Amino acid sequence: DYTDDPSTNQHPNQHDYDQLLSIYSHLDGSTTVKAPVTSAGEPGADSEAPPAMNQIDFATPAQWGRLLKSSRGGHLAVYELDFGRGHKVFTFVIWA
């Protein structure tokens, strides 16, 4: 939000959250989470990804793997789950 007095506008309001919901909601039933993983044709990778890569529960932080990087305050984080042989899943987290 733009304002002449930024001191009154330093935290998200309901409109901000409503906008995020409208941007990231999948009302058509589709999803961008847990898409099938393949690696055919990638140099140095097996022709098929391990089946476990398609069985990750992304809603469970314990399955995100090891923490690679976190912002000061911990609001942004990147996790890596390594399945070996060049197969990895990276999870980017924004804590709101």
Side-chain angles (χ1 to χ4, degrees):
D1 296 336
Y2 295 95
T3 181
D4 291 332
D5 183 8
S7 67
T8 63
N9 189 23
Q10 295 186 8
H11 302 283
N13 59 29
Q14 187 60 48
H15 177 263
D16 298 320
Y17 290 111
D18 291 343
Q19 287 298 314
L20 288 172
L21 187 61
S22 72
I23 293 168
Y24 295 104
S25 290
H26 293 279
L27 301 177
D28 60 358
S30 68
T31 182
T32 55
V33 176
K34 213 170 171 180
V37 178
T38 61
S39 60
E42 292 180 12
D46 294 339
S47 61
E48 290 187 31
M53 288 182 75
N54 290 320
Q55 299 170 358
I56 300 169
D57 178 6
F58 287 103
T60 307
Q63 290 200 19
W64 295 344
R66 70 182 181 98
L67 177 65
L68 290 180
K69 189 172 184 178
S70 180
S71 67
R72 188 179 312 196
H75 296 290
L76 303 173
V78 179
Y79 292 82
E80 175 191 50
L81 186 56
D82 191 343
F83 288 87
R85 305 184 91 175
H87 299 288
K88 297 180 181 184
V89 172
F90 294 92
T91 304
F92 300 86
V93 180
I94 301 172
W95 295 101

Coordinates of all heavy atoms in Angstrom, one line a residue:
D1 N 0.8 -1.2 0.0 CA 0.0 0.0 0.0 C 0.9 1.2 0.0 O 1.9 1.3 0.6 CB -0.9 0.0 1.2 CG -1.9 -1.1 1.2 OD1 -2.2 -1.7 0.2 OD2 -2.3 -1.5 2.3
Y2 N 0.4 2.3 -0.7 CA 1.2 3.5 -0.7 C 0.4 4.5 0.2 O -0.8 4.6 0.2 CB 1.3 4.1 -2.1 CG 2.1 3.1 -3.0 CD1 1.5 2.2 -3.8 CD2 3.4 3.2 -3.1 CE1 2.2 1.3 -4.6 CE2 4.2 2.4 -3.8 CZ 3.6 1.4 -4.6 OH 4.3 0.6 -5.4
T3 N 1.2 5.3 0.9 CA 0.6 6.3 1.8 C 1.6 7.4 2.0 O 2.8 7.2 1.8 CB 0.2 5.6 3.1 OG1 -0.3 6.6 4.0 CG2 1.4 5.0 3.9
D4 N 1.1 8.6 2.4 CA 2.0 9.7 2.8 C 2.6 9.5 4.2 O 3.6 10.1 4.5 CB 1.2 11.0 2.8 CG 0.8 11.4 1.3 OD1 1.5 11.0 0.4 OD2 -0.2 12.0 1.2
D5 N 2.1 8.6 5.0 CA 2.6 8.4 6.3 C 2.8 6.9 6.5 O 2.0 6.2 7.0 CB 1.5 8.9 7.3 CG 2.0 8.7 8.8 OD1 3.2 8.4 9.0 OD2 1.2 8.9 9.7
P6 N 4.0 6.4 6.2 CA 4.3 5.0 6.2 C 4.3 4.4 7.7 O 4.2 3.3 7.9 CB 5.7 4.9 5.7 CG 6.2 6.2 5.3 CD 5.1 7.2 5.6
S7 N 4.4 5.3 8.7 CA 4.3 4.8 10.0 C 3.0 4.1 10.4 O 2.9 3.3 11.3 CB 4.6 5.9 11.0 OG 3.6 6.8 11.0
T8 N 2.0 4.4 9.7 CA 0.7 3.8 9.9 C 0.4 2.6 9.0 O -0.6 2.0 9.1 CB -0.5 4.8 9.7 OG1 -0.5 5.2 8.3 CG2 -0.4 6.0 10.5
N9 N 1.4 2.2 8.2 CA 1.2 1.2 7.2 C 2.5 0.3 7.2 O 3.1 0.1 6.2 CB 1.0 1.8 5.9 CG 0.6 0.8 4.9 OD1 0.1 -0.3 5.2 ND2 0.8 1.1 3.6
Q10 N 2.8 -0.4 8.3 CA 4.0 -1.2 8.4 C 3.7 -2.7 8.5 O 4.6 -3.5 8.6 CB 4.8 -0.7 9.6 CG 5.4 0.7 9.3 CD 6.3 1.1 10.4 OE1 6.7 0.3 11.2 NE2 6.7 2.3 10.4
H11 N 2.4 -3.0 8.5 CA 2.0 -4.4 8.6 C 0.9 -4.8 7.6 O 0.1 -3.9 7.3 CB 1.5 -4.7 10.0 CG 2.6 -4.4 11.1 ND1 3.7 -5.2 11.3 CD2 2.7 -3.4 11.9 CE1 4.4 -4.7 12.3 NE2 3.9 -3.6 12.6
P12 N 0.9 -6.0 7.1 CA -0.2 -6.4 6.2 C -1.5 -6.2 6.8 O -1.7 -6.5 8.0 CB 0.1 -7.9 5.9 CG 1.5 -8.1 6.4 CD 1.8 -7.1 7.4
N13 N -2.5 -5.9 6.0 CA -3.9 -5.8 6.5 C -4.7 -6.9 5.8 O -4.2 -7.6 5.0 CB -4.5 -4.4 6.3 CG -4.5 -4.0 4.8 OD1 -4.6 -4.8 3.9 ND2 -4.4 -2.7 4.6
Q14 N -6.0 -6.9 6.1 CA -6.9 -7.9 5.5 C -6.9 -7.9 4.0 O -6.9 -8.9 3.3 CB -8.3 -7.8 6.0 CG -9.2 -9.0 5.6 CD -8.7 -10.3 6.1 OE1 -8.3 -10.5 7.3 NE2 -8.6 -11.3 5.2
H15 N -6.8 -6.7 3.4 CA -6.8 -6.6 1.9 C -5.6 -7.3 1.4 O -5.6 -7.9 0.3 CB -6.8 -5.1 1.5 CG -6.7 -4.9 0.1 ND1 -5.5 -4.6 -0.6 CD2 -7.6 -5.0 -0.9 CE1 -5.7 -4.5 -1.9 NE2 -7.0 -4.7 -2.1
D16 N -4.4 -7.1 2.0 CA -3.2 -7.8 1.6 C -3.4 -9.3 1.6 O -3.0 -10.0 0.6 CB -2.0 -7.4 2.5 CG -1.7 -5.9 2.4 OD1 -1.8 -5.3 1.3 OD2 -1.4 -5.3 3.5
Y17 N -3.9 -9.8 2.6 CA -4.1 -11.3 2.7 C -5.1 -11.7 1.7 O -5.0 -12.8 1.1 CB -4.5 -11.7 4.1 CG -3.4 -11.5 5.1 CD1 -3.5 -10.5 6.1 CD2 -2.3 -12.3 5.1 CE1 -2.4 -10.4 7.0 CE2 -1.2 -12.2 6.0 CZ -1.3 -11.2 7.0 OH -0.3 -11.1 7.9
D18 N -6.2 -10.9 1.5 CA -7.2 -11.3 0.4 C -6.5 -11.3 -1.0 O -6.8 -12.2 -1.8 CB -8.3 -10.3 0.4 CG -9.2 -10.4 1.7 OD1 -9.1 -11.4 2.4 OD2 -9.9 -9.4 2.0
Q19 N -5.6 -10.4 -1.2 CA -4.9 -10.4 -2.5 C -4.1 -11.6 -2.7 O -4.0 -12.2 -3.8 CB -4.1 -9.1 -2.7 CG -4.9 -7.9 -2.9 CD -5.7 -7.9 -4.2 OE1 -5.2 -8.3 -5.2 NE2 -7.0 -7.6 -4.1
L20 N -3.3 -12.0 -1.6 CA -2.5 -13.2 -1.7 C -3.4 -14.5 -2.0 O -3.0 -15.3 -2.8 CB -1.7 -13.4 -0.4 CG -0.6 -12.4 -0.2 CD1 0.0 -12.6 1.2 CD2 0.5 -12.6 -1.3
L21 N -4.5 -14.5 -1.3 CA -5.4 -15.6 -1.5 C -5.9 -15.7 -2.9 O -6.0 -16.7 -3.6 CB -6.6 -15.5 -0.5 CG -7.6 -16.7 -0.5 CD1 -6.9 -17.9 -0.1 CD2 -8.7 -16.3 0.5
S22 N -6.3 -14.5 -3.5 CA -6.7 -14.5 -4.9 C -5.6 -14.9 -5.9 O -5.9 -15.5 -6.9 CB -7.4 -13.1 -5.2 OG -6.4 -12.2 -5.4
I23 N -4.4 -14.5 -5.6 CA -3.3 -14.8 -6.5 C -2.9 -16.3 -6.4 O -2.7 -17.0 -7.4 CB -2.1 -14.0 -6.1 CG1 -2.3 -12.5 -6.4 CG2 -0.8 -14.5 -6.9 CD1 -1.3 -11.6 -5.8
Y24 N -2.9 -16.9 -5.2 CA -2.4 -18.2 -5.0 C -3.4 -19.3 -4.9 O -3.1 -20.5 -4.8 CB -1.4 -18.3 -3.9 CG -0.2 -17.4 -4.2 CD1 0.0 -16.2 -3.6 CD2 0.8 -17.9 -5.1 CE1 1.1 -15.4 -3.9 CE2 1.9 -17.1 -5.4 CZ 2.1 -15.9 -4.8 OH 3.2 -15.1 -5.1
S25 N -4.7 -19.0 -4.8 CA -5.7 -20.0 -4.7 C -5.9 -20.7 -6.1 O -5.8 -20.1 -7.1 CB -7.1 -19.4 -4.4 OG -7.1 -18.9 -3.1
H26 N -6.1 -22.0 -6.0 CA -6.3 -22.8 -7.2 C -7.8 -23.2 -7.2 O -8.1 -24.3 -6.9 CB -5.4 -24.0 -7.2 CG -4.0 -23.7 -7.3 ND1 -3.4 -23.4 -8.5 CD2 -3.0 -23.6 -6.4 CE1 -2.1 -23.1 -8.4 NE2 -1.8 -23.2 -7.1
L27 N -8.6 -22.3 -7.7 CA -10.1 -22.6 -7.6 C -10.5 -23.5 -8.7 O -11.6 -24.1 -8.7 CB -10.8 -21.2 -7.8 CG -10.5 -20.2 -6.7 CD1 -11.3 -18.9 -7.0 CD2 -10.9 -20.7 -5.3
D28 N -9.6 -23.8 -9.7 CA -9.9 -24.7 -10.8 C -9.6 -26.2 -10.4 O -9.7 -27.1 -11.2 CB -9.2 -24.3 -12.1 CG -7.7 -24.3 -11.9 OD1 -7.2 -24.6 -10.8 OD2 -7.1 -24.0 -12.9
G29 N -9.1 -26.4 -9.2 CA -8.8 -27.8 -8.8 C -7.4 -28.2 -9.1 O -7.0 -29.3 -8.7
S30 N -6.7 -27.3 -9.8 CA -5.3 -27.7 -10.1 C -4.4 -27.4 -8.9 O -4.8 -26.7 -8.0 CB -4.8 -27.0 -11.4 OG -4.7 -25.6 -11.1
T31 N -3.2 -27.8 -9.0 CA -2.2 -27.5 -8.0 C -0.8 -27.4 -8.6 O -0.6 -27.9 -9.7 CB -2.2 -28.6 -6.9 OG1 -1.2 -28.2 -5.9 CG2 -1.8 -29.9 -7.4
T32 N 0.1 -26.7 -8.0 CA 1.5 -26.6 -8.4 C 2.4 -27.4 -7.5 O 3.6 -27.4 -7.6 CB 2.0 -25.1 -8.5 OG1 1.7 -24.5 -7.2 CG2 1.2 -24.4 -9.6
V33 N 1.8 -27.9 -6.4 CA 2.5 -28.7 -5.4 C 2.5 -30.2 -5.8 O 1.5 -30.7 -6.2 CB 2.0 -28.5 -4.0 CG1 2.7 -29.3 -3.0 CG2 2.1 -27.0 -3.7
K34 N 3.6 -30.8 -5.6 CA 3.7 -32.3 -5.8 C 3.4 -32.7 -7.2 O 2.8 -33.7 -7.5 CB 2.7 -33.0 -4.8 CG 3.1 -34.3 -4.3 CD 2.2 -34.8 -3.2 CE 2.5 -36.2 -2.9 NZ 1.6 -36.7 -1.8
A35 N 4.0 -32.0 -8.1 CA 3.9 -32.4 -9.5 C 4.8 -33.6 -9.8 O 5.8 -33.7 -9.1 CB 4.3 -31.2 -10.4
P36 N 4.4 -34.4 -10.7 CA 5.3 -35.6 -10.9 C 6.7 -35.2 -11.3 O 6.9 -34.2 -12.0 CB 4.6 -36.3 -12.1 CG 3.2 -35.8 -12.1 CD 3.3 -34.4 -11.5
V37 N 7.7 -35.9 -10.9 CA 9.1 -35.6 -11.1 C 9.6 -36.6 -12.1 O 9.5 -37.8 -12.0 CB 9.9 -35.7 -9.8 CG1 11.3 -35.4 -10.0 CG2 9.3 -34.8 -8.7
T38 N 10.3 -36.1 -13.2 CA 11.0 -36.9 -14.1 C 12.3 -36.3 -14.4 O 12.6 -35.1 -14.2 CB 10.2 -37.1 -15.4 OG1 10.1 -35.8 -16.0 CG2 8.9 -37.7 -15.3
S39 N 13.3 -37.1 -14.8 CA 14.6 -36.6 -15.1 C 15.1 -37.2 -16.4 O 16.3 -37.1 -16.6 CB 15.5 -36.9 -13.9 OG 15.6 -38.3 -13.7
A40 N 14.3 -37.7 -17.2 CA 14.8 -38.3 -18.5 C 15.5 -37.3 -19.3 O 15.0 -36.2 -19.5 CB 13.6 -38.9 -19.2
G41 N 16.6 -37.7 -19.8 CA 17.4 -36.9 -20.7 C 18.3 -35.9 -20.0 O 19.1 -35.2 -20.6
E42 N 18.2 -35.8 -18.7 CA 19.1 -34.8 -18.0 C 20.5 -35.5 -17.9 O 20.6 -36.7 -17.5 CB 18.6 -34.5 -16.6 CG 17.3 -33.7 -16.6 CD 16.8 -33.4 -15.2 OE1 17.6 -33.7 -14.2 OE2 15.7 -33.0 -15.1
P43 N 21.6 -34.7 -18.2 CA 22.9 -35.3 -18.1 C 23.2 -35.7 -16.7 O 23.0 -35.1 -15.7 CB 23.8 -34.1 -18.5 CG 22.9 -33.0 -19.0 CD 21.5 -33.3 -18.5
G44 N 23.8 -36.9 -16.6 CA 24.2 -37.5 -15.3 C 23.1 -38.0 -14.4 O 23.4 -38.4 -13.3
A45 N 21.9 -38.0 -14.8 CA 20.8 -38.5 -14.0 C 20.3 -39.8 -14.6 O 20.4 -40.1 -15.7 CB 19.7 -37.4 -14.0
D46 N 19.6 -40.5 -13.7 CA 19.0 -41.8 -14.2 C 17.8 -41.4 -15.1 O 17.3 -40.3 -15.1 CB 18.4 -42.6 -13.0 CG 19.6 -43.1 -12.1 OD1 20.7 -43.2 -12.5 OD2 19.3 -43.3 -10.9
S47 N 17.3 -42.4 -15.8 CA 16.2 -42.1 -16.8 C 14.9 -41.9 -16.0 O 14.1 -41.2 -16.5 CB 16.1 -43.3 -17.7 OG 15.8 -44.5 -17.0
E48 N 14.8 -42.4 -14.8 CA 13.6 -42.2 -14.0 C 14.0 -41.7 -12.6 O 14.9 -42.2 -12.0 CB 12.7 -43.4 -13.9 CG 12.1 -43.8 -15.2 CD 11.1 -45.0 -15.0 OE1 10.5 -45.1 -13.9 OE2 11.0 -45.8 -16.0
A49 N 13.2 -40.8 -12.1 CA 13.4 -40.4 -10.7 C 12.9 -41.5 -9.7 O 12.0 -42.3 -10.1 CB 12.6 -39.1 -10.5
P50 N 13.5 -41.5 -8.5 CA 13.0 -42.5 -7.6 C 11.6 -42.3 -7.2 O 11.1 -41.2 -7.1 CB 13.9 -42.2 -6.3 CG 15.1 -41.5 -6.8 CD 14.6 -40.7 -8.1
P51 N 10.8 -43.4 -7.1 CA 9.3 -43.2 -6.8 C 9.1 -42.4 -5.6 O 8.1 -41.7 -5.5 CB 8.9 -44.7 -6.6 CG 9.9 -45.5 -7.4 CD 11.2 -44.8 -7.3
A52 N 9.9 -42.5 -4.6 CA 9.7 -41.7 -3.3 C 9.6 -40.2 -3.6 O 9.0 -39.5 -2.8 CB 10.9 -42.0 -2.4
M53 N 10.2 -39.7 -4.7 CA 10.2 -38.3 -5.0 C 8.8 -37.8 -5.2 O 8.4 -36.7 -5.1 CB 11.1 -37.9 -6.2 CG 12.5 -38.0 -5.8 SD 13.6 -37.5 -7.2 CE 13.4 -35.8 -7.2
N54 N 7.9 -38.7 -5.7 CA 6.5 -38.4 -5.9 C 5.6 -38.7 -4.8 O 4.4 -38.6 -4.9 CB 6.0 -39.1 -7.2 CG 6.6 -38.6 -8.4 OD1 6.8 -37.4 -8.6 ND2 7.0 -39.4 -9.3
Q55 N 6.2 -39.1 -3.6 CA 5.4 -39.4 -2.5 C 5.7 -38.5 -1.3 O 5.4 -38.8 -0.1 CB 5.6 -40.9 -2.1 CG 5.2 -41.8 -3.2 CD 5.7 -43.2 -2.9 OE1 6.4 -43.5 -1.9 NE2 5.4 -44.1 -3.8
I56 N 6.3 -37.4 -1.5 CA 6.6 -36.4 -0.5 C 5.4 -35.7 0.0 O 4.6 -35.2 -0.8 CB 7.7 -35.4 -0.9 CG1 8.9 -36.1 -1.4 CG2 8.0 -34.4 0.2 CD1 9.9 -35.2 -2.1
D57 N 5.2 -35.6 1.3 CA 4.2 -34.8 1.9 C 4.7 -33.4 2.2 O 5.3 -33.2 3.2 CB 3.6 -35.4 3.2 CG 2.5 -34.6 3.9 OD1 2.1 -33.6 3.3 OD2 2.1 -35.0 5.0
F58 N 4.5 -32.4 1.3 CA 5.2 -31.1 1.4 C 4.6 -30.3 2.6 O 5.2 -29.4 3.0 CB 5.0 -30.3 0.1 CG 5.9 -30.8 -1.0 CD1 5.4 -31.6 -2.0 CD2 7.2 -30.5 -1.0 CE1 6.2 -32.1 -3.0 CE2 8.1 -31.0 -2.0 CZ 7.5 -31.8 -3.0
A59 N 3.5 -30.8 3.1 CA 2.9 -30.1 4.3 C 3.6 -30.4 5.6 O 3.3 -29.8 6.6 CB 1.4 -30.4 4.4
T60 N 4.5 -31.4 5.5 CA 5.2 -31.9 6.7 C 6.6 -31.4 6.7 O 7.4 -31.9 5.9 CB 5.1 -33.4 6.8 OG1 3.8 -33.8 6.7 CG2 5.7 -33.9 8.1
P61 N 7.0 -30.4 7.5 CA 8.4 -29.9 7.5 C 9.4 -31.0 7.6 O 10.5 -30.8 7.1 CB 8.4 -28.9 8.6 CG 7.0 -28.5 8.8 CD 6.2 -29.7 8.4
A62 N 9.1 -32.0 8.3 CA 10.1 -33.1 8.5 C 10.6 -33.7 7.2 O 11.6 -34.3 7.1 CB 9.6 -34.2 9.5
Q63 N 9.7 -33.6 6.2 CA 10.1 -34.2 4.9 C 10.7 -33.3 3.9 O 11.0 -33.6 2.7 CB 8.8 -34.9 4.2 CG 8.4 -36.1 5.0 CD 7.5 -37.0 4.1 OE1 7.5 -36.9 2.9 NE2 6.8 -37.8 4.8
W64 N 11.0 -32.0 4.3 CA 11.6 -31.1 3.4 C 13.1 -31.3 3.3 O 13.7 -30.7 2.4 CB 11.4 -29.6 3.9 CG 9.9 -29.2 3.9 CD1 8.9 -29.9 3.2 CD2 9.4 -28.1 4.6 NE1 7.7 -29.2 3.5 CE2 8.0 -28.1 4.3 CE3 9.9 -27.1 5.4 CZ2 7.1 -27.2 4.8 CZ3 9.0 -26.2 5.9 CH2 7.6 -26.2 5.6
G65 N 13.7 -32.1 4.1 CA 15.2 -32.3 4.1 C 15.9 -31.4 4.9 O 15.4 -30.8 5.9
R66 N 17.2 -31.1 4.6 CA 18.0 -30.3 5.4 C 17.9 -28.8 5.0 O 17.7 -28.5 3.9 CB 19.5 -30.7 5.4 CG 20.2 -30.5 4.0 CD 21.6 -31.0 4.1 NE 22.2 -30.7 2.8 CZ 23.1 -29.7 2.6 NH1 23.4 -28.9 3.6 NH2 23.6 -29.4 1.4
L67 N 18.0 -28.0 6.0 CA 17.9 -26.5 5.8 C 19.2 -26.1 5.1 O 20.3 -26.3 5.7 CB 17.7 -25.8 7.1 CG 17.7 -24.3 7.1 CD1 16.5 -23.8 6.3 CD2 17.7 -23.7 8.5
L68 N 19.1 -25.5 3.9 CA 20.3 -25.0 3.2 C 20.6 -23.5 3.6 O 21.7 -23.1 3.8 CB 20.1 -25.0 1.7 CG 20.1 -26.4 1.1 CD1 19.8 -26.2 -0.4 CD2 21.4 -27.1 1.3
K69 N 19.5 -22.7 3.7 CA 19.7 -21.3 3.9 C 18.4 -20.8 4.6 O 17.3 -21.2 4.2 CB 19.9 -20.6 2.6 CG 20.3 -19.2 2.7 CD 20.8 -18.6 1.4 CE 21.3 -17.2 1.6 NZ 21.7 -16.6 0.4
S70 N 18.6 -19.8 5.5 CA 17.5 -19.1 6.1 C 17.8 -17.6 6.2 O 18.9 -17.3 6.5 CB 17.3 -19.7 7.5 OG 16.2 -19.1 8.2
S71 N 16.8 -16.8 6.0 CA 17.0 -15.4 6.1 C 17.1 -15.0 7.6 O 16.7 -15.7 8.5 CB 15.8 -14.6 5.5 OG 14.6 -14.8 6.2
R72 N 17.6 -13.8 7.8 CA 17.7 -13.3 9.2 C 16.2 -13.2 9.7 O 15.4 -12.7 9.0 CB 18.3 -11.9 9.2 CG 18.6 -11.4 10.6 CD 19.2 -10.1 10.6 NE 20.4 -10.1 9.6 CZ 21.4 -9.2 9.6 NH1 21.3 -8.2 10.4 NH2 22.3 -9.3 8.8
G73 N 16.0 -13.7 10.8 CA 14.6 -13.8 11.4 C 13.9 -15.0 11.0 O 12.8 -15.3 11.5
G74 N 14.4 -15.8 10.0 CA 13.9 -17.1 9.6 C 12.6 -17.0 8.8 O 11.9 -18.0 8.7
H75 N 12.2 -15.9 8.2 CA 11.0 -15.8 7.5 C 11.1 -16.5 6.1 O 10.0 -16.8 5.5 CB 10.6 -14.3 7.3 CG 10.3 -13.6 8.6 ND1 9.2 -14.0 9.3 CD2 11.0 -12.7 9.3 CE1 9.2 -13.2 10.4 NE2 10.3 -12.5 10.4
L76 N 12.3 -16.6 5.5 CA 12.5 -17.3 4.3 C 13.4 -18.4 4.5 O 14.4 -18.3 5.2 CB 13.1 -16.3 3.2 CG 12.3 -15.1 2.9 CD1 13.1 -14.1 2.0 CD2 10.9 -15.4 2.3
A77 N 13.2 -19.5 3.9 CA 14.1 -20.7 4.0 C 14.1 -21.5 2.8 O 13.1 -21.6 2.0 CB 13.6 -21.5 5.2
V78 N 15.2 -22.2 2.6 CA 15.3 -23.2 1.5 C 15.8 -24.5 2.0 O 16.8 -24.5 2.8 CB 16.4 -22.7 0.4 CG1 16.5 -23.7 -0.7 CG2 16.0 -21.3 -0.1
Y79 N 15.1 -25.6 1.7 CA 15.4 -26.9 2.2 C 15.8 -27.8 1.0 O 15.3 -27.6 -0.1 CB 14.3 -27.5 2.9 CG 13.9 -26.9 4.2 CD1 13.1 -25.7 4.2 CD2 14.4 -27.4 5.4 CE1 12.8 -25.1 5.4 CE2 14.0 -26.8 6.6 CZ 13.3 -25.7 6.6 OH 13.0 -25.1 7.8
E80 N 16.7 -28.8 1.2 CA 17.1 -29.7 0.1 C 16.8 -31.1 0.6 O 17.3 -31.5 1.7 CB 18.5 -29.5 -0.2 CG 19.0 -30.5 -1.2 CD 20.6 -30.5 -1.3 OE1 21.2 -30.6 -0.3 OE2 21.0 -30.5 -2.5
L81 N 16.1 -31.9 -0.2 CA 15.9 -33.3 0.1 C 16.7 -34.1 -1.0 O 16.3 -34.0 -2.2 CB 14.4 -33.6 0.1 CG 14.1 -35.1 0.5 CD1 14.6 -35.4 1.9 CD2 12.6 -35.2 0.5
D82 N 17.7 -34.7 -0.7 CA 18.6 -35.4 -1.6 C 18.3 -36.9 -1.7 O 18.4 -37.6 -0.7 CB 20.1 -35.2 -1.2 CG 21.1 -35.6 -2.3 OD1 20.7 -36.3 -3.2 OD2 22.2 -35.2 -2.2
F83 N 17.9 -37.4 -2.9 CA 17.6 -38.8 -3.1 C 18.8 -39.5 -3.7 O 18.7 -40.7 -4.0 CB 16.4 -38.9 -4.0 CG 15.1 -38.5 -3.3 CD1 14.7 -37.2 -3.4 CD2 14.3 -39.4 -2.7 CE1 13.5 -36.8 -2.8 CE2 13.1 -39.1 -2.1 CZ 12.7 -37.8 -2.1
G84 N 19.9 -38.8 -3.9 CA 21.1 -39.5 -4.4 C 21.0 -39.5 -5.9 O 20.0 -39.3 -6.6
R85 N 22.2 -39.8 -6.5 CA 22.3 -39.9 -8.0 C 21.8 -38.7 -8.8 O 21.2 -38.9 -9.8 CB 21.6 -41.2 -8.5 CG 22.2 -42.4 -7.7 CD 21.6 -43.7 -8.3 NE 22.6 -44.1 -9.3 CZ 22.4 -45.3 -10.0 NH1 21.4 -46.0 -9.7 NH2 23.3 -45.6 -10.9
G86 N 21.9 -37.5 -8.2 CA 21.5 -36.3 -8.9 C 20.0 -35.9 -8.7 O 19.6 -35.0 -9.3
H87 N 19.3 -36.7 -7.9 CA 17.8 -36.4 -7.7 C 17.7 -35.7 -6.4 O 18.0 -36.2 -5.3 CB 17.0 -37.7 -7.7 CG 17.1 -38.5 -8.9 ND1 16.5 -38.1 -10.1 CD2 17.7 -39.7 -9.2 CE1 16.7 -39.0 -11.0 NE2 17.5 -40.0 -10.5
K88 N 17.2 -34.4 -6.6 CA 17.0 -33.6 -5.4 C 15.7 -32.8 -5.5 O 15.2 -32.5 -6.6 CB 18.1 -32.5 -5.3 CG 19.5 -33.1 -5.1 CD 20.5 -32.0 -5.0 CE 21.9 -32.7 -4.8 NZ 22.9 -31.7 -4.6
V89 N 15.1 -32.5 -4.4 CA 13.9 -31.7 -4.3 C 14.2 -30.5 -3.4 O 14.7 -30.7 -2.3 CB 12.7 -32.5 -3.7 CG1 11.5 -31.5 -3.5 CG2 12.3 -33.6 -4.7
F90 N 14.0 -29.3 -3.9 CA 14.2 -28.1 -3.2 C 12.8 -27.5 -2.8 O 11.9 -27.4 -3.6 CB 15.0 -27.0 -4.0 CG 16.4 -27.5 -4.3 CD1 16.7 -28.2 -5.5 CD2 17.4 -27.2 -3.4 CE1 18.0 -28.6 -5.7 CE2 18.7 -27.7 -3.6 CZ 19.0 -28.3 -4.8
T91 N 12.7 -27.2 -1.5 CA 11.5 -26.6 -1.0 C 11.8 -25.2 -0.5 O 12.6 -25.0 0.3 CB 10.9 -27.4 0.2 OG1 10.7 -28.8 -0.3 CG2 9.6 -26.9 0.6
F92 N 11.1 -24.2 -1.1 CA 11.2 -22.8 -0.7 C 10.1 -22.4 0.2 O 8.9 -22.6 -0.2 CB 11.3 -21.9 -2.0 CG 12.4 -22.3 -2.9 CD1 12.3 -23.2 -3.9 CD2 13.6 -21.6 -2.8 CE1 13.3 -23.6 -4.7 CE2 14.7 -21.9 -3.7 CZ 14.5 -22.9 -4.6
V93 N 10.4 -21.9 1.4 CA 9.3 -21.7 2.4 C 9.3 -20.2 2.7 O 10.4 -19.6 2.9 CB 9.6 -22.5 3.6 CG1 8.5 -22.2 4.7 CG2 9.7 -24.0 3.3
I94 N 8.1 -19.6 2.7 CA 7.9 -18.2 3.2 C 7.0 -18.3 4.4 O 5.9 -18.7 4.3 CB 7.3 -17.3 2.1 CG1 8.1 -17.3 0.9 CG2 7.0 -15.9 2.7 CD1 7.5 -16.6 -0.3
W95 N 7.6 -18.1 5.6 CA 6.8 -18.1 6.8 C 6.1 -16.8 7.0 O 6.7 -15.7 7.1 CB 7.7 -18.4 8.0 CG 8.4 -19.7 8.0 CD1 9.7 -20.0 7.6 CD2 7.8 -21.0 8.3 NE1 9.9 -21.3 7.6 CE2 8.8 -22.0 8.1 CE3 6.5 -21.4 8.7 CZ2 8.5 -23.3 8.3 CZ3 6.3 -22.7 8.9 CH2 7.3 -23.7 8.7
A96 N 4.8 -16.8 7.1 CA 4.0 -15.6 7.2 C 3.5 -15.4 8.6 O 3.3 -16.4 9.3 CB 2.8 -15.6 6.2

